[in-house]
Amino acid sequence: MVFHLPAGLTSGRFERRGSAEVWISDGLPDGLEELWADLLRQAPVTGLQPHLCRPGDHGRPEAPAAADAVRLDEFLAADFAAYREKRLPLWTAPPSLELPEGTPDDVAPWPHDPGPPFDSWPGLAPAGPESSTGPGPEEAAARTAVDLCTGRYDPGLDLVLVPAHRSADVPALVGWDHEADVPLLTALLRSWEERFGARVVAAYGGEVLVSVARPPLDPADAERLALEHVLSTADNIVDDPPTPFPEYARGLVGRTEWRFWWD
């Protein structure tokens, strides 16, 4: 046994991922919601983060320490300047309602995207509001884990326990198979943990699923957060499917689950 296992788990096995050993369940345990919340509450003592991933996912583990060097505000300011310069012609062009001849009748034109309402980097979004009645980060993450495992789409995930200081570092440590800038993503996830009570629940294929305990409730705050999502480089943010930036930002108000994927 590489580390002491908390109570309530199914049978499982230890497996090396890079320089770390992780524990992988043989199946999802009963009472996953309660167990997940308990595991997160114990994490400051056990040093183990619960996580969902596919047993066959074996990418290249990376050191989360690379995220320590990312000065997030400065990095995103430079990224937004470059992104805006590239996209501005599309944002300012008049919307096209014409489709090529022969397009099927049920295909609609792509919606026009006016882009973010900022001429320069507006700074990181303020922290989400605290609530005395809403779920804490542990409960929010547990609900998201259960929703993922019991939904209509079953991605075939196993429970994994990962030695990590925080859930934001887990995708890098387990060798998540990705096309993302992992140091940048890790820095963003760490910041979202602090500002929004976010927790990484799962990483599989090219997807990362994040629970959110304190989402933004102010539309202006959601716009700034939406820009952070865009600059994560995830393909699904406004691009796949095509979603105008204002519409994506409005959808973040009160949303307790964020999904990111890279093709």
Side-chain angles (χ1 to χ4, degrees), residues 10-143:
T10 58
S11 62
R13 64 195 183 280
F14 285 95
E15 186 175 292
R16 178 164 290 280
R17 296 291 181 93
S19 61
E21 294 276 354
V22 303
W23 179 86
I24 303 176
S25 66
D26 290 333
L28 291 177
D30 295 331
L32 180 62
E33 184 169 353
E34 181 178 353
L35 174 63
W36 195 283
D38 285 343
L39 290 171
L40 278 180
R41 280 190 285 266
Q42 296 173 47
V45 175
T46 64
L48 302 173
Q49 298 289 338
H51 185 70
L52 292 169
C53 66
R54 290 185 180 133
D57 278 353
H58 290 122
R60 185 183 71 255
E62 302 188 32
D68 298 344
V70 177
R71 297 180 178 177
L72 200 53
D73 231 350
E74 295 177 19
F75 194 100
L76 294 180
D79 269 13
F80 179 54
Y83 179 81
R84 186 175 186 275
E85 182 178 5
K86 178 181 178 181
R87 292 289 186 116
L88 192 58
L90 300 175
W91 295 337
T92 56
S96 174
L97 301 179
E98 298 295 328
L99 288 170
E101 187 175 348
T103 301
D105 293 338
D106 60 348
V107 174
W110 281 13
H112 175 64
D113 185 359
F118 311 112
D119 294 330
S120 60
W121 171 242
L124 297 172
E130 297 283 351
S131 172
S132 59
T133 57
E138 297 83 4
E139 288 73 26
R143 292 180 188 178

